[in-house]
Every structure is written in C-alpha cells, then in structure tokens.
Amino acid sequence: MPSNRKRKLYIEAEPTIDSSPPPTTKQRKLEKQQRHRPPTSFWDNLSQLWLTPRALREIDRRTVWPAAPVPPDRTGKEDINLAGLKRFARHGGPSLSNLRAYPEPETAAPSNRTMASSQLGSKKRANSSRDSERSSKTRKSSAYDRDFEQHLIDYGAYPEGYGGVRNLQEPHNWEEINARLALPRVSLSPSRFTRELFLDFKEKNQEALTEGTVMSTAFPIITGSACIPHSENLYFGNLKHLTDGSITKAKPDFYDGSRPAELSKRVRDDLGPYIVPSTNTAAPCLPNFFAEGKGPNGNPAVCKRQAFYDGTLGARGTHKLQSYVDLETAYDNNAYTITSTYHGGTGALKLYTTHPAQSTCLNQGTEFRMTQLNGWDMTGNPDSFRQGASALRNARDWAKEKREELIAAANGKVPDTAEHSDLVSSTQSFVSLSSNEPTHAESETSADELALGIDTLAGSSQVEARTKPPLKAPSNQQSTKKATRASDTGLRRKNG
C-alpha cells in the first residue's frame, strides 16, 4: 500500500507538457514580415517599382498560383484490364527507344550504381550545406529601400542628387552655411584636442561593432558637450504623416530641438502635428538638426534615406512656423534644417540641408530638396577630425540660432490672443472671497504664462483685483434698529 500511494502522488505531481511544437525560425520570420508589411496602397501608388526584396515578396503574395489538376474520375469504367495493365507496368511499360534524343539506358555494375548513389547523396548534402550558408549570409531587407525613396519622390520630397548633379537646386544660403561650418573652434585646437585624444576616439570607433554602440560611444565625441536640448531614438508618433500614411514614422538616432516652454502654448496647439514630434510633451520641439548613424556592417544608402526622411520632416515644421508668422516670406528658398550621417565602419561624416520650395506641379504646393554641404573622414588624421567635428558643432549652434529666431517671431505674432486666453484662464483659477469654496491653486499652464512675459502676470493681477467682492449694503433690520435707538435718545434728552 505505501508504494502504490507514493506512485500515485508522483503521477499527480507530473507537470503537463505542451504538445504543440515551438515556432520554427521560418515561421517567426514570416510573422515579422507580416507585422512590418506596408499596406497595398503603398505599392499601388508608386510611380516606379523597384524589384527590392520587399517588392518581390509582395508580388509573390499577390500571385495566384493554379491549383493542382484533379485526376479524372475512373469510376464506372469496367472495360480496363487492371491485371494486364499491372503486368505491363512490371515489365517496364512502353518502350521509349524510338523517341528522338532519348538516352540509351546505362548497364552498369551494381557496385558502380551503389557508388554513384552514395556520391549523389554526398553531393546533395554538400549543395544543401552551401545553400544554408548562402542563405545565412543574405542580408535582411530594410524598410528604407529604393521603393521607400520612390514613394517620397512621388509626394514631392527629392533626395540629394535627384535630377542630375548639374541641375541641383541649392538653397540660397548654402554658401553662408558652409562659411559658418568652416569656422574653427577653440575646444578643438591642437593644444586642447591632442593626437592622444584622436587615437582614443579612433579606438572607440573601431571597438563599436553595432549601430547603438557607435552612437553611444564614438559619436558623442564628435558632437561635444554643448548645452542644447536634444533627444535620442525618439519615435515621432505625434507628427502628421508626410505622405499617405503607408510608410513608417521616423525615429531619428539623434536630434536637437527647443524646450516647449520657449514657444507660446497657442503656437504649439495650432502647429502641434508639425513641430511637436512626440506625445511626450517634455521632449524638445521644432527639431531642425538630425543625425543618423550606422555600424561597420550598416548600409550607407539606408542611413542616407533615413536622414533624408528626418530632414524633410524638420523642414516641413520650420516652413509651417514661417507660414504662421508671415505667409508671404515663407518661400524664401533658404535652408533652416541640417541633417548628418555617420558610418562607423568607414568613419565618413556628411552634412546635408533640406529646404522647402514652391512646387511647379499643380497638385503639390510645397516640395522639399536635400543638398549636401560637405563631408569628412573622421578616422583619417587629427586635422580631418578637427574639421569635421568643428563643422558638426557649428551646425548645431547654427540650427539653434535659427530656432530661436523663428520662435521669437512666432511668439511676437500672437501676443494679444495669448494675453486674452491667459486672462480667461486666470479668471477661472481665482474664486471670489465671498464664496465658501477654497481658492484654487495655480493652473497647470503657469510655465507657458511665464514664457509669454511680464504682461501676462500683470493681466492676472488685474483680474484678481476685479474679482474682489463689493461692499455689502446694510439690511432693513439694521436700519430700523438704528432709527429706534436715535428716537430713544431724543426722548431722554427732552425728559431730562
């Protein structure tokens, strides 16, 4: 009895095993492709289709393969001699020697046939191993392929070099920006940035094997320690789609912007889908400097397309803010956005501008063009590093100055309306002293009111003074009592 009881307890304690097998690598890859597959409208609206891996998968998905032929129905045909047919098949069936180009049958020894089959099997195994190696070395496709670039071109965003090198439409301030980038910086002089520091950068860049490591260890040495609001790997989920919504939203590796409190809340509410990139309202707004990086095995073409996408979004935001201030001067053909790319494998740093222009097409109001500023080899020698790092840091300072100019113009455009809205909010936040309700605390938009200036605070103090309760008039009972007391005093004087 005790042994049976122990066996029973052991059987009940056995865990249940899931009989379903785990998903294979091919199934997981297919599920991932299904999740990242663009909608059909993306492919249908392309003016030119490039045969990228994503496009070939879409063609395979849409291709309707013919079904397997159904064998004919043999029921009811008793006239077939099945025994004779089987005997005929056992003897080799019909002779094919009279067919043209039919090879003669080989009569080889059994040992040779066995050797040939073994050699055939080893050859198949070798081919299969070679195919597996080839498939493992195949690069995975990216969402930023040539079809992605073609999609942006169809919507009026043109990459660098589009239309021919001799037909480039550079911004009017291209030479001015390049002159600013070429200015030397004291922090990168040979006395401060020595050869030893350059070798330290080169070693860190060589040890960085992934994109994330390059952007976290090597790239910060190039950018320096400037006090500029920035963010990294932030998903631009709050921005309005640049095209028809069939492409993924941008997620730059690095970008500079301004603090939200520096821009009027009224402007942020009106232009939020164009200048406020994230749903996190504490993130920098009005981005106009971007950086995209790749590791040693990264694709430089993909990096450039990502920078092109980022720069177009930034140029659209600055253009919307310019139009908000003055619609007549919005198309000045000047650039206010700079993008940069850095490849950890080659050490190549490149800077680009993206500027808006009035489109010549009737169905497109604004087009955006990407233009290269310059490029540097950051791992070549200390002098080339100093030039490239100086250009990048000067570009960040220049972009910050342009943001401040645009923000100052936008804040000066809406002082009256902003003051009126602040007066309304201040009136709602203060309560009359005659009521029994407690006084409300300061409203949540206090930071925006401080950003508007001292006039808003003066307006709130006037509202507080207006909301003080008036003096109360005496009641009828109080006046009657006073009259009675006066008459009693007069009678006493007469009697006295």
mmCIF file of all heavy atoms in Angstrom, residues 393-416:
data_model
loop_
_atom_site.group_PDB
_atom_site.id
_atom_site.type_symbol
_atom_site.label_atom_id
_atom_site.label_comp_id
_atom_site.label_asym_id
_atom_site.label_seq_id
_atom_site.Cartn_x
_atom_site.Cartn_y
_atom_site.Cartn_z
ATOM 1 N N ARG A 393 29.629 70.729 -34.835
ATOM 2 C CA ARG A 393 29.263 71.567 -33.686
ATOM 3 C C ARG A 393 28.795 72.945 -34.129
ATOM 4 O O ARG A 393 27.873 73.516 -33.531
ATOM 5 C CB ARG A 393 30.465 71.668 -32.745
ATOM 6 C CG ARG A 393 30.899 70.318 -32.189
ATOM 7 C CD ARG A 393 32.094 70.430 -31.263
ATOM 8 N NE ARG A 393 32.610 69.102 -30.891
ATOM 9 C CZ ARG A 393 33.600 68.892 -30.038
ATOM 10 N NH1 ARG A 393 34.207 69.927 -29.446
ATOM 11 N NH2 ARG A 393 33.995 67.654 -29.762
ATOM 12 N N ASN A 394 29.431 73.496 -35.164
ATOM 13 C CA ASN A 394 28.948 74.769 -35.700
ATOM 14 C C ASN A 394 27.553 74.627 -36.300
ATOM 15 O O ASN A 394 26.739 75.554 -36.220
ATOM 16 C CB ASN A 394 29.921 75.290 -36.757
ATOM 17 C CG ASN A 394 31.244 75.721 -36.167
ATOM 18 O OD1 ASN A 394 31.322 76.120 -34.998
ATOM 19 N ND2 ASN A 394 32.303 75.662 -36.969
ATOM 20 N N ALA A 395 27.275 73.470 -36.900
ATOM 21 C CA ALA A 395 25.939 73.238 -37.465
ATOM 22 C C ALA A 395 24.884 73.189 -36.363
ATOM 23 O O ALA A 395 23.771 73.710 -36.534
ATOM 24 C CB ALA A 395 25.939 71.935 -38.268
ATOM 25 N N ARG A 396 25.210 72.588 -35.243
ATOM 26 C CA ARG A 396 24.258 72.553 -34.128
ATOM 27 C C ARG A 396 23.994 73.956 -33.593
ATOM 28 O O ARG A 396 22.844 74.309 -33.287
ATOM 29 C CB ARG A 396 24.793 71.652 -33.013
ATOM 30 C CG ARG A 396 24.909 70.192 -33.383
ATOM 31 C CD ARG A 396 25.312 69.369 -32.168
ATOM 32 N NE ARG A 396 24.268 69.356 -31.161
ATOM 33 C CZ ARG A 396 24.427 68.900 -29.919
ATOM 34 N NH1 ARG A 396 25.617 68.433 -29.542
ATOM 35 N NH2 ARG A 396 23.429 68.915 -29.063
ATOM 36 N N ASP A 397 25.051 74.761 -33.463
ATOM 37 C CA ASP A 397 24.861 76.139 -32.993
ATOM 38 C C ASP A 397 24.051 76.950 -33.996
ATOM 39 O O ASP A 397 23.175 77.744 -33.603
ATOM 40 C CB ASP A 397 26.227 76.796 -32.765
ATOM 41 C CG ASP A 397 26.991 76.159 -31.622
ATOM 42 O OD1 ASP A 397 26.359 75.475 -30.791
ATOM 43 O OD2 ASP A 397 28.228 76.328 -31.567
ATOM 44 N N TRP A 398 24.339 76.766 -35.281
ATOM 45 C CA TRP A 398 23.579 77.494 -36.306
ATOM 46 C C TRP A 398 22.106 77.113 -36.279
ATOM 47 O O TRP A 398 21.225 77.981 -36.392
ATOM 48 C CB TRP A 398 24.193 77.203 -37.675
ATOM 49 C CG TRP A 398 23.486 77.855 -38.817
ATOM 50 C CD1 TRP A 398 23.703 79.100 -39.313
ATOM 51 C CD2 TRP A 398 22.422 77.292 -39.602
ATOM 52 N NE1 TRP A 398 22.856 79.344 -40.364
ATOM 53 C CE2 TRP A 398 22.060 78.251 -40.564
ATOM 54 C CE3 TRP A 398 21.765 76.078 -39.592
ATOM 55 C CZ2 TRP A 398 21.065 78.026 -41.494
ATOM 56 C CZ3 TRP A 398 20.765 75.847 -40.519
ATOM 57 C CH2 TRP A 398 20.415 76.812 -41.462
ATOM 58 N N ALA A 399 21.814 75.818 -36.149
ATOM 59 C CA ALA A 399 20.419 75.366 -36.101
ATOM 60 C C ALA A 399 19.708 75.918 -34.866
ATOM 61 O O ALA A 399 18.527 76.282 -34.921
ATOM 62 C CB ALA A 399 20.370 73.840 -36.103
ATOM 63 N N LYS A 400 20.420 76.016 -33.757
ATOM 64 C CA LYS A 400 19.821 76.585 -32.545
ATOM 65 C C LYS A 400 19.483 78.052 -32.744
ATOM 66 O O LYS A 400 18.411 78.525 -32.317
ATOM 67 C CB LYS A 400 20.782 76.411 -31.371
ATOM 68 C CG LYS A 400 20.267 76.982 -30.061
ATOM 69 C CD LYS A 400 21.296 76.865 -28.962
ATOM 70 C CE LYS A 400 20.785 77.498 -27.672
ATOM 71 N NZ LYS A 400 21.807 77.459 -26.589
ATOM 72 N N GLU A 401 20.359 78.811 -33.394
ATOM 73 C CA GLU A 401 20.083 80.219 -33.648
ATOM 74 C C GLU A 401 18.866 80.390 -34.546
ATOM 75 O O GLU A 401 18.041 81.293 -34.318
ATOM 76 C CB GLU A 401 21.314 80.869 -34.291
ATOM 77 C CG GLU A 401 22.528 80.919 -33.370
ATOM 78 C CD GLU A 401 23.774 81.383 -34.106
ATOM 79 O OE1 GLU A 401 23.650 81.751 -35.300
ATOM 80 O OE2 GLU A 401 24.868 81.384 -33.496
ATOM 81 N N LYS A 402 18.728 79.548 -35.552
ATOM 82 C CA LYS A 402 17.560 79.644 -36.437
ATOM 83 C C LYS A 402 16.274 79.308 -35.692
ATOM 84 O O LYS A 402 15.228 79.924 -35.930
ATOM 85 C CB LYS A 402 17.742 78.719 -37.642
ATOM 86 C CG LYS A 402 18.905 79.108 -38.548
ATOM 87 C CD LYS A 402 18.764 80.531 -39.036
ATOM 88 C CE LYS A 402 19.958 80.987 -39.840
ATOM 89 N NZ LYS A 402 19.839 82.408 -40.269
ATOM 90 N N ARG A 403 16.343 78.344 -34.797
ATOM 91 C CA ARG A 403 15.149 78.027 -33.998
ATOM 92 C C ARG A 403 14.754 79.206 -33.123
ATOM 93 O O ARG A 403 13.557 79.539 -33.010
ATOM 94 C CB ARG A 403 15.415 76.803 -33.120
ATOM 95 C CG ARG A 403 15.411 75.487 -33.834
ATOM 96 C CD ARG A 403 15.294 74.328 -32.852
ATOM 97 N NE ARG A 403 16.322 74.365 -31.809
ATOM 98 C CZ ARG A 403 17.517 73.804 -31.913
ATOM 99 N NH1 ARG A 403 17.845 73.174 -33.024
ATOM 100 N NH2 ARG A 403 18.386 73.865 -30.916
ATOM 101 N N GLU A 404 15.727 79.825 -32.499
ATOM 102 C CA GLU A 404 15.420 80.965 -31.628
ATOM 103 C C GLU A 404 14.827 82.122 -32.414
ATOM 104 O O GLU A 404 13.911 82.807 -31.930
ATOM 105 C CB GLU A 404 16.696 81.396 -30.903
ATOM 106 C CG GLU A 404 17.203 80.376 -29.888
ATOM 107 C CD GLU A 404 18.539 80.762 -29.298
ATOM 108 O OE1 GLU A 404 19.157 81.724 -29.815
ATOM 109 O OE2 GLU A 404 18.974 80.121 -28.316
ATOM 110 N N GLU A 405 15.321 82.364 -33.625
ATOM 111 C CA GLU A 405 14.749 83.428 -34.450
ATOM 112 C C GLU A 405 13.298 83.130 -34.824
ATOM 113 O O GLU A 405 12.424 84.006 -34.743
ATOM 114 C CB GLU A 405 15.596 83.605 -35.713
ATOM 115 C CG GLU A 405 16.999 84.125 -35.458
ATOM 116 C CD GLU A 405 17.831 84.172 -36.734
ATOM 117 O OE1 GLU A 405 17.257 83.843 -37.808
ATOM 118 O OE2 GLU A 405 19.021 84.519 -36.663
ATOM 119 N N LEU A 406 13.033 81.897 -35.224
ATOM 120 C CA LEU A 406 11.660 81.534 -35.604
ATOM 121 C C LEU A 406 10.724 81.578 -34.403
ATOM 122 O O LEU A 406 9.577 82.023 -34.514
ATOM 123 C CB LEU A 406 11.653 80.145 -36.244
ATOM 124 C CG LEU A 406 12.351 80.007 -37.598
ATOM 125 C CD1 LEU A 406 12.398 78.541 -38.023
ATOM 126 C CD2 LEU A 406 11.642 80.834 -38.655
ATOM 127 N N ILE A 407 11.196 81.118 -33.257
ATOM 128 C CA ILE A 407 10.344 81.115 -32.063
ATOM 129 C C ILE A 407 10.045 82.535 -31.611
ATOM 130 O O ILE A 407 8.910 82.860 -31.226
ATOM 131 C CB ILE A 407 11.025 80.293 -30.949
ATOM 132 C CG1 ILE A 407 10.987 78.809 -31.292
ATOM 133 C CG2 ILE A 407 10.354 80.532 -29.604
ATOM 134 C CD1 ILE A 407 11.736 77.931 -30.320
ATOM 135 N N ALA A 408 11.048 83.423 -31.657
ATOM 136 C CA ALA A 408 10.814 84.820 -31.271
ATOM 137 C C ALA A 408 9.805 85.478 -32.200
ATOM 138 O O ALA A 408 8.923 86.234 -31.747
ATOM 139 C CB ALA A 408 12.136 85.577 -31.280
ATOM 140 N N ALA A 409 9.889 85.208 -33.492
ATOM 141 C CA ALA A 409 8.931 85.785 -34.436
ATOM 142 C C ALA A 409 7.526 85.227 -34.211
ATOM 143 O O ALA A 409 6.537 85.964 -34.304
ATOM 144 C CB ALA A 409 9.383 85.524 -35.864
ATOM 145 N N ALA A 410 7.434 83.939 -33.912
ATOM 146 C CA ALA A 410 6.113 83.337 -33.687
ATOM 147 C C ALA A 410 5.495 83.829 -32.389
ATOM 148 O O ALA A 410 4.286 84.101 -32.327
ATOM 149 C CB ALA A 410 6.236 81.812 -33.669
ATOM 150 N N ASN A 411 6.292 83.955 -31.334
ATOM 151 C CA ASN A 411 5.755 84.469 -30.072
ATOM 152 C C ASN A 411 5.321 85.923 -30.198
ATOM 153 O O ASN A 411 4.340 86.342 -29.573
ATOM 154 C CB ASN A 411 6.801 84.344 -28.968
ATOM 155 C CG ASN A 411 7.030 82.906 -28.564
ATOM 156 O OD1 ASN A 411 6.197 82.032 -28.798
ATOM 157 N ND2 ASN A 411 8.181 82.637 -27.952
ATOM 158 N N GLY A 412 6.024 86.723 -30.994
ATOM 159 C CA GLY A 412 5.615 88.099 -31.207
ATOM 160 C C GLY A 412 4.426 88.254 -32.114
ATOM 161 O O GLY A 412 3.837 89.334 -32.194
ATOM 162 N N LYS A 413 4.047 87.198 -32.794
ATOM 163 C CA LYS A 413 2.906 87.258 -33.696
ATOM 164 C C LYS A 413 1.584 87.151 -32.957
ATOM 165 O O LYS A 413 0.562 87.676 -33.413
ATOM 166 C CB LYS A 413 3.024 86.122 -34.727
ATOM 167 C CG LYS A 413 1.925 86.085 -35.772
ATOM 168 C CD LYS A 413 2.043 87.226 -36.738
ATOM 169 C CE LYS A 413 0.986 87.122 -37.827
ATOM 170 N NZ LYS A 413 1.069 88.244 -38.778
ATOM 171 N N VAL A 414 1.566 86.494 -31.808
ATOM 172 C CA VAL A 414 0.291 86.227 -31.125
ATOM 173 C C VAL A 414 0.303 86.759 -29.687
ATOM 174 O O VAL A 414 -0.058 86.049 -28.767
ATOM 175 C CB VAL A 414 0.009 84.713 -31.119
ATOM 176 C CG1 VAL A 414 -0.371 84.235 -32.488
ATOM 177 C CG2 VAL A 414 1.205 83.934 -30.587
ATOM 178 N N PRO A 415 0.691 88.029 -29.432
ATOM 179 C CA PRO A 415 0.656 88.479 -28.036
ATOM 180 C C PRO A 415 -0.742 88.788 -27.549
ATOM 181 O O PRO A 415 -1.102 88.490 -26.413
ATOM 182 C CB PRO A 415 1.522 89.743 -28.063
ATOM 183 C CG PRO A 415 1.402 90.248 -29.453
ATOM 184 C CD PRO A 415 1.216 89.048 -30.327
ATOM 185 N N ASP A 416 -1.594 89.390 -28.427
ATOM 186 C CA ASP A 416 -2.924 89.791 -27.986
ATOM 187 C C ASP A 416 -3.812 88.589 -27.713
ATOM 188 O O ASP A 416 -4.483 88.504 -26.688
ATOM 189 C CB ASP A 416 -3.571 90.687 -29.038
ATOM 190 C CG ASP A 416 -2.772 91.969 -29.244
ATOM 191 O OD1 ASP A 416 -2.089 92.381 -28.280
ATOM 192 O OD2 ASP A 416 -2.832 92.521 -30.349
#
